[in-house]
């Protein structure tokens, strides 16, 4: 009898612990989902940004980009990024089609070539155009697919929820894990710590100026990426933004990528 | 001309041209302000020095080239854009020749022209281009059965370029599209011949005659239908016009012979496709060439390319591309072996072409290797280059090495191995 009670108690306690960890993960996943739902609370976006890259040896590089984003309710988003400056990068462009049920599509147009070329999405960890933004980061500009990651709470304070995200088995990612700091009041992501395959911190992304748009969507007007592996810092300042404008879907075509139009 | 003096002249000349250019722009700005709402001007200049360290022929041991290419991209009124790129180049050894379609051009030593000059109109799904434009419909590298509109300039054999053509182009659609290009007259490629540095060597009693071509008024036409479906980039193209590489007739002439480059009309139907397969991108093209007066053939190219980021050290990247080209069928009515072995479109049949590009230190130093290896005969080349990227300046140091049996295309260039230095400045 005593043995049965002990077994039942053990079973019940185990059930509670497992359930609690699932509840914990579901809760974290919900927080992440809510954060990205708020972020995506617009239909289109046009941005201009200045990029400053600072090296350890005091060198610096300045770039300027223009970016168009089309948010799709089913997750089939489209992002076009074109470099304006420096002169060498003028004409460099990256087009991404996110596919909710299937692999994403990516095309790259180099300044020296007339044609845009399809590129592999498996190049997640490759840095784009000499910045500290990887191709994976570029794809996730419209949000991450929460079903691809496992989430765990690392604690909360009055200001932030701190959540660890790890890619699930079978999901390719440039990062072993990320630690995400989400503002409890507006669900904006304030900071992300990225870890490499050796579980060492690779880079930290600080969102120093967060604004809330009229639709309730959060945006970052100034962000800083400190990369410990490349020993450099990338600072991105948004200089112009328009939302919910009528961006023709033709903008997000391979042919438009090849156009020399401004 | 003394090369040191010439090089100094080129450097000063580039500087003077740029100063003049800026001054013209300042005045042009006020004149065009009412038409041009927004514009952007950039420029590139190149200086190249090459030395043939294994030269056994009568050709020069070295040559130098200089080039400046200003580019204008201007928004005109609404929905119209002007794209113009000028090109001034000079070469101590002489440029490859074709029809002089631009004035002035002096004895092949220098040329001034527009590489492109066209007006573009874009309105939703419709795009119209009128003027001189470079078309590139290729999906594969170097050899492309679908890329037939723009002729080639072969002044630099391993760094050839497309030539802009007077044309009217209409495109409808975006992700799925249909495109038509009409060329009112024929522009030939600029090919190596006579004593040009990459010209095929010929016996001493053989000389080159002028290029014969189909009437300059011969118009040409091309069309393309394309789409992206299920992550496949697919297209079918059709071309009716003159080939980008001439045929060669050998005509007896008293006690010698004349090589006569001659262009024929052709029809080309091709299919292209690209898709990511297992972390690589696979690309393929296949084309049927129906040539008027020359042999018909089918050519295909198949290749894969892949990037490996952070391979040895963090921030590095290794890009590799490998392609195979072949001709599974031809009707074998070619009139001369010389013609077939010097047809630039068919040089790489039964060859593996490849590229390796390794970048250190976040793309500031690159090691690039281009190569071709023929599986059927001994006729190969390899070109390794080290490239330093310093802000807006590129410095490249490289070698071009040819190998092959005599009477093969690359074998005939055995003594043309060279070392070169190339400086490119972006403005």
């Amino acid at each position: 009898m005593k043995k049965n009670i002990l077994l039942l108690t053990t079973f019940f306690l185990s059930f509670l612990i497992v359930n609690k960890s699932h509840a914990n993960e579901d809760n974290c996943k919900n927080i992440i989902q809510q954060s990205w739902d708020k972020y995506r609370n617009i239909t289109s976006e046009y941005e201009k940004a200045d990029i400053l890259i600072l090296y350890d040896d005091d060198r610096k590089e300045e770039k300027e980009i223009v970016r168009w984003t089309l948010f799709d309710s089913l997750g089939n988003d489209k992002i076009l990024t074109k470099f304006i400056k420096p002169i060498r990068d003028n004409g460099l462009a990256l087009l991404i089609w996110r596919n909710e049920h299937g692999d994403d599509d990516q095309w790259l147009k180099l300044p020296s070539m007339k044609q845009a070329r399809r590129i592999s999405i498996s190049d997640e960890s490759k840095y784009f155009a000499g910045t500290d933004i990887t191709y994976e980061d570029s794809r996730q500009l419209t949000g991450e697919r929460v079903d691809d990651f496992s989430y765990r709470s690392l604690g909360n304070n009055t200001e932030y929820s701190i959540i660890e995200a790890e890619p699930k088995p079978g999901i390719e990612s440039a990062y072993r894990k990320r630690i995400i700091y989400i503002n409890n009041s507006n669900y904006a992501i304030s900071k992300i710590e990225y870890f490499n395959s050796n579980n060492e911190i690779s880079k930290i992304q600080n969102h120093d100026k967060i604004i809330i748009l009229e639709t309730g969507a959060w945006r970052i007007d100034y962000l800083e990426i400190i990369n410990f592996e490349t020993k450099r810092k990338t600072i991105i300042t948004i200089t112009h933004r328009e939302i919910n404008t009528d961006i023709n879907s033709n903008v997000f075509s391979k042919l438009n990528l090849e156009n020399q139009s401004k | 001309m003394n090369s040191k003096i010439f090089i100094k002249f080129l450097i000063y000349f580039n500087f003077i041209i740029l100063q003049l250019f800026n001054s013209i722009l300042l005045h042009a700005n006020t004149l065009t302000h009412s038409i041009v709402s927004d514009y952007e001007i950039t420029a590139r200049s190149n200086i190249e020095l090459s030395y043939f360290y294994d030269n056994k022929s009568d050709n020069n041991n070295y040559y130098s080239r200089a080039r400046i290419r200003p580019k204008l991209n201007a928004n005109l009124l609404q929905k119209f854009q002007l794209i113009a790129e000028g090109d001034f180049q000079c070469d101590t050894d002489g440029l490859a020749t074709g029809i002089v379609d631009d004035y002035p051009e002096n004895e092949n030593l220098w040329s001034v022209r527009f590489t492109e000059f066209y007006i573009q109109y874009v309105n939703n799904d419709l795009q119209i281009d009128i003027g001189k434009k470079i078309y590139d419909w290729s999906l594969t590298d170097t050899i492309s059965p679908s890329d037939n509109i723009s002729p080639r300039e072969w002044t630099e054999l391993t760094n050839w370029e497309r030539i802009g053509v007077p044309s009217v182009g209409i495109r409808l659609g975006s992700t799925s599209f249909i495109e038509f290009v009409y060329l009112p007259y024929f522009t030939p490629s600029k090919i190596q011949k006579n004593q040009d540095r990459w010209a095929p060597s010929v016996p001493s009693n053989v000389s080159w005659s002028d290029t014969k071509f189909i009437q300059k008024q011969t118009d040409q036409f091309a069309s393309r239908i394309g789409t992206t479906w299920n992550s496949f980039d697919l297209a079918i193209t059709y071309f009716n016009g003159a080939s980008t590489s001439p045929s060669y007739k050998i005509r007896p002439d008293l006690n010698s012979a004349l090589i006569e480059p001659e262009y024929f009309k052709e029809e080309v139907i091709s299919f292209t496709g690209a898709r990511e397969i297992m972390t690589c991108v696979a690309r393929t093209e296949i084309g049927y060439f129906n040539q008027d007066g020359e042999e018909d053939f089918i050519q295909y190219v198949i290749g894969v390319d892949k990037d490996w980021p952070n391979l040895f050290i963090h921030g590095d990247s290794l890009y590799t591309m490998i392609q195979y080209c072949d001709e599974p069928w031809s009707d074998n009515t070619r009139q001369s072996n010389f013609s077939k072995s010097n047809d630039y479109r068919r040089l790489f049949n039964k060859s593996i072409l490849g590229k390796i590009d390794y970048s250190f230190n976040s793309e500031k130093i690159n090691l690039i290797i281009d190569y071709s290896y023929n599986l059927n005969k001994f006729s190969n080349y390899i070109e390794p280059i080290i490239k330093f990227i310093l802000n807006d300046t590129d410095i490249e140091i490289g070698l071009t090495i040819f190998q092959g049996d005599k009477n093969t295309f690359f074998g005939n260039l055995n003594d043309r191995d060279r070392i070169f230095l190339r400086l490119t400045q972006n403005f």
Side-chain angles (χ1 to χ4, degrees):
Chain A
M1 179 68 174
K2 275 186 186 173
K3 201 175 172 183
N4 285 339
I5 293 169
L6 192 62
L7 271 171
L8 272 170
T9 311
T10 310
F11 174 76
F12 184 65
L13 279 171
S14 306
F15 177 77
L16 273 178
I17 289 166
V18 167
N19 226 24
K20 189 173 181 186
S21 74
H22 275 143
N24 180 297
E25 180 174 341
D26 285 345
N27 190 40
C28 293
K29 185 176 168 182
N30 285 338
I31 294 171
I32 299 285
Q33 184 70 67
Q34 270 202 288
S35 175
W36 284 114
D37 284 345
K38 281 191 176 294
Y39 181 88
R40 293 170 59 83
N41 197 21
I42 56 175
T43 54
S44 67
E45 188 169 10
Y46 169 75
E47 292 172 298
K48 280 188 180 177
D50 289 338
I51 301 177
L52 177 65
I53 301 160
L54 301 168
Y55 293 85
D56 246 11
D57 56 6
D58 295 332
R59 276 183 302 129
K60 66 177 181 179
E61 279 180 42
E62 292 176 17
K63 298 179 190 275
E64 187 183 329
I65 61 166
V66 178
R67 187 161 60 210
W68 295 262
T69 310
L70 200 62
F71 293 91
D72 177 72
S73 57
L74 298 175
N76 300 319
D77 310 318
K78 293 182 168 58
I79 310 162
L80 172 63
T81 306
K82 277 192 178 181
F83 278 75
I84 309 294
K85 286 178 186 169
I87 297 294
R88 146 198 312 291
D89 289 345
N90 191 320
L92 174 64
L94 177 68
L95 174 63
I96 299 169
W97 289 1
R98 302 213 73 191
N99 295 315
E100 184 63 15
H101 303 291
D103 291 333
D104 296 340
D105 296 305
Q106 277 184 167
W107 295 268
L108 181 69
K109 161 81 170 62
L110 295 175
S112 57
M113 297 177 69
K114 285 272 176 196
Q115 282 265 49
R117 289 288 177 97
R118 176 179 283 275
I119 57 171
S120 171
I121 60 157
S122 66
D123 303 337
E124 293 103 5
S125 58
K126 184 170 181 177
Y127 293 109
F128 180 46
T131 67
D132 290 301
I133 300 165
T134 62
Y135 280 94
E136 179 176 344
D137 299 335
S138 298
R139 284 200 296 279
Q140 292 192 348
L141 279 170
T142 57
E144 65 188 70
R145 295 188 177 118
V146 295
D147 290 336
D148 288 349
F149 297 91
S150 301
Y151 299 99
R152 182 168 76 98
S153 173
L154 296 183
N156 300 318
N157 57 37
T158 51
E159 218 177 335
Y160 302 112
S161 295
I162 305 168
I163 296 172
E164 179 187 271
E166 277 191 27
K168 288 181 178 172
I171 300 297
E172 289 192 27
S173 172
Y175 311 109
R176 165 90 181 262
K177 71 179 182 191
R178 291 167 296 135
I179 296 176
I180 306 166
Y181 294 72
I182 296 185
N183 190 297
N184 288 331
S185 59
N186 57 25
Y187 286 92
I189 295 176
S190 301
K191 179 177 162 181
I192 308 175
E193 293 168 356
Y194 297 86
F195 291 77
N196 61 22
S197 55
N198 296 329
N199 215 22
E200 297 158 341
I201 189 156
S202 164
K203 62 185 186 185
I204 296 176
Q205 183 171 313
N206 292 310
H207 299 165
D208 292 332
K209 189 178 175 190
I210 295 173
I211 62 164
I212 307 297
L213 305 175
E214 57 264 31
T215 63
W218 58 270
R219 282 297 183 273
I220 309 144
D221 269 2
Y222 182 95
L223 74 95
E224 197 176 82
I225 305 171
I226 304 163
N227 193 321
F228 302 105
E229 287 175 315
T230 58
K231 296 185 175 29
R232 68 184 178 203
K233 193 191 284 191
T234 298
I235 298 169
I236 301 174
T237 311
I238 303 297
T239 56
H240 179 78
R241 179 185 287 114
E242 293 169 22
I243 62 164
N244 293 341
T245 54
D246 189 21
I247 300 178
N248 198 305
S249 58
N250 292 338
V251 166
F252 304 96
S253 66
K254 182 170 166 276
L255 294 180
N256 181 53
L257 199 66
E258 294 163 354
N259 260 345
Q260 297 187 67
S261 53
K262 290 161 54 65
Chain B
M1 182 188 291
N2 183 293
S3 281
K4 285 185 188 168
I5 296 171
F6 187 68
I7 291 161
K8 278 188 190 167
F9 165 74
L10 290 174
I11 293 166
Y12 289 135
F13 186 80
N14 275 344
F15 178 75
I16 292 164
I17 284 284
L18 278 165
Q19 298 303 316
L20 274 173
F21 193 59
N22 281 332
S23 150
I24 290 167
L25 284 176
L26 280 171
H27 289 92
N29 188 27
T30 45
L31 287 172
T32 57
H33 189 69
S34 58
I35 303 169
V36 178
S37 58
D38 183 22
Y39 68 88
E40 183 179 70
I41 294 170
T42 56
R44 276 180 299 162
S45 73
N46 295 101
I47 294 175
E48 182 171 327
L49 309 168
S50 290
Y51 174 68
F52 297 108
Y53 55 83
D54 202 21
N55 185 27
K56 296 177 182 63
S57 69
D58 294 332
N59 287 3
N60 291 330
N61 284 341
Y62 50 84
Y63 69 94
S64 50
R65 303 186 72 202
R67 203 165 181 189
I68 184 154
R69 284 175 280 187
K71 185 166 182 174
L72 169 68
N73 199 325
N75 287 332
L76 308 173
L77 306 170
Q78 226 183 354
K79 299 186 194 295
F80 287 88
Q81 191 145 15
L82 168 67
I83 292 119
E85 185 179 42
D87 184 10
F88 171 81
Q89 56 175 315
C90 44
D91 188 314
T92 55
D93 225 23
L95 301 163
T97 59
I99 289 175
V100 176
D101 59 354
D102 296 290
Y103 177 84
E105 191 160 319
N106 176 32
E107 291 292 317
N108 311 327
L109 287 175
W110 53 274
S111 77
V112 179
R113 58 183 173 171
F114 279 107
T115 317
E116 290 190 302
F117 191 103
Y118 64 97
I119 305 276
Q120 183 175 87
Y121 170 76
V122 179
N123 188 0
N124 292 328
D125 277 353
L126 174 65
Q127 178 177 313
I128 301 174
D129 299 307
I130 300 176
K132 186 175 185 182
K133 186 180 173 188
I134 293 173
Y135 287 88
D136 177 3
W137 286 1
S138 67
L139 208 61
T140 50
D141 281 291
T142 307
I143 295 292
S144 166
S146 65
D147 186 24
N148 298 293
I149 301 176
S150 282
R152 314 294 201 245
E153 172 164 358
W154 276 295
T155 295
E156 277 302 311
L157 190 65
T158 57
N159 199 20
W160 57 269
E161 296 177 354
R162 291 176 181 81
I163 299 173
V165 285
S167 56
V168 177
I170 299 174
R171 182 190 290 164
L172 256 171
S174 54
T175 303
S176 299
F177 65 92
I178 184 164
E179 185 172 5
F180 301 97
V181 179
Y182 174 72
L183 295 84
Y185 60 84
F186 162 65
T187 303
S189 293
K190 300 201 174 190
I191 58 172
Q192 295 278 317
K193 58 178 189 172
N194 295 333
Q195 300 303 313
D196 293 345
R197 54 181 168 262
W198 310 117
S201 56
V202 295
S204 54
N205 63 339
V206 177
S207 56
W208 293 80
S209 78
D210 289 335
T211 305
K212 272 186 78 173
F213 46 91
I214 51 178
Q215 285 190 348
K216 195 171 180 186
Q217 287 72 32
T218 299
D219 50 8
Q220 303 177 88
F221 172 76
S223 67
R224 178 167 70 151
I225 298 173
T227 190
T228 297
W229 170 78
N230 199 25
S231 294
F232 274 100
D233 293 334
L234 302 167
I236 297 173
T237 69
Y238 171 78
F239 174 77
N240 186 323
S243 86
T244 55
S245 184
S247 179
Y248 296 91
K249 303 256 187 267
I250 313 290
R251 298 191 191 285
D253 179 45
L254 295 175
N255 295 325
S256 60
L258 275 178
I259 301 174
E260 189 176 74
E262 186 172 355
Y263 287 92
F264 289 96
K265 282 208 85 170
E266 64 175 8
E267 276 185 306
V268 184
I269 299 170
S270 71
F271 164 81
T272 70
R275 195 187 198 283
E276 181 170 351
I277 298 172
M278 291 170 62
T279 76
C280 301
V281 178
R283 305 177 206 279
T284 188
E285 294 193 28
I286 182 164
Y288 167 63
F289 291 76
N290 175 11
Q291 303 194 101
D292 182 17
E294 270 292 355
E295 68 178 9
D296 301 342
F297 62 94
I298 293 174
Q299 184 183 65
Y300 72 85
V301 184
I302 186 160
V304 291
D305 52 88
K306 184 169 170 61
D307 239 308
W308 282 277
N310 307 313
L311 186 65
F312 301 114
I313 53 173
H314 198 86
D316 73 356
S317 173
L318 175 66
Y319 168 81
T320 58
M321 183 274 291
I322 188 162
Q323 268 180 193
Y324 178 69
C325 175
D326 203 357
E327 246 175 55
W329 174 84
S330 72
D331 64 8
N332 287 316
T333 55
R334 175 73 74 171
Q335 291 180 322
S336 72
N337 286 332
F338 183 88
S339 198
K340 190 166 182 176
S341 59
N342 289 282
D343 185 338
Y344 288 101
R345 299 167 303 168
R346 304 167 79 176
L347 287 180
F348 297 102
N349 285 344
K350 297 198 190 317
S351 293
I352 294 172
L353 292 99
K355 181 169 185 163
I356 298 168
D357 187 339
Y358 178 69
S359 66
F360 302 80
N361 193 19
S362 301
E363 302 167 7
K364 297 300 172 201
I365 305 174
N366 283 49
L367 170 62
I368 303 162
I369 302 174
D370 276 312
Y371 64 90
S372 133
Y373 183 82
N374 195 304
L375 298 174
N376 198 40
K377 54 188 172 185
F378 184 35
S379 179
N380 315 315
Y381 87 88
I382 186 166
E383 187 171 85
I385 301 173
I386 296 179
K387 183 173 175 178
F388 301 93
I389 299 167
L390 310 164
N391 294 329
D392 290 326
T393 306
D394 293 349
I395 302 171
E396 294 170 273
I397 302 167
L399 290 170
T400 311
I401 300 168
F402 301 104
Q403 287 184 318
D405 291 328
K406 218 172 144 83
N407 297 326
T408 61
F409 185 86
F410 292 122
N412 276 334
L413 299 171
N414 265 330
D415 66 344
R416 300 277 90 194
D417 294 351
R418 63 165 182 170
I419 182 167
F420 63 88
L421 169 68
R422 200 182 282 149
L423 304 171
T424 305
Q425 178 70 33
N426 294 291
F427 301 97

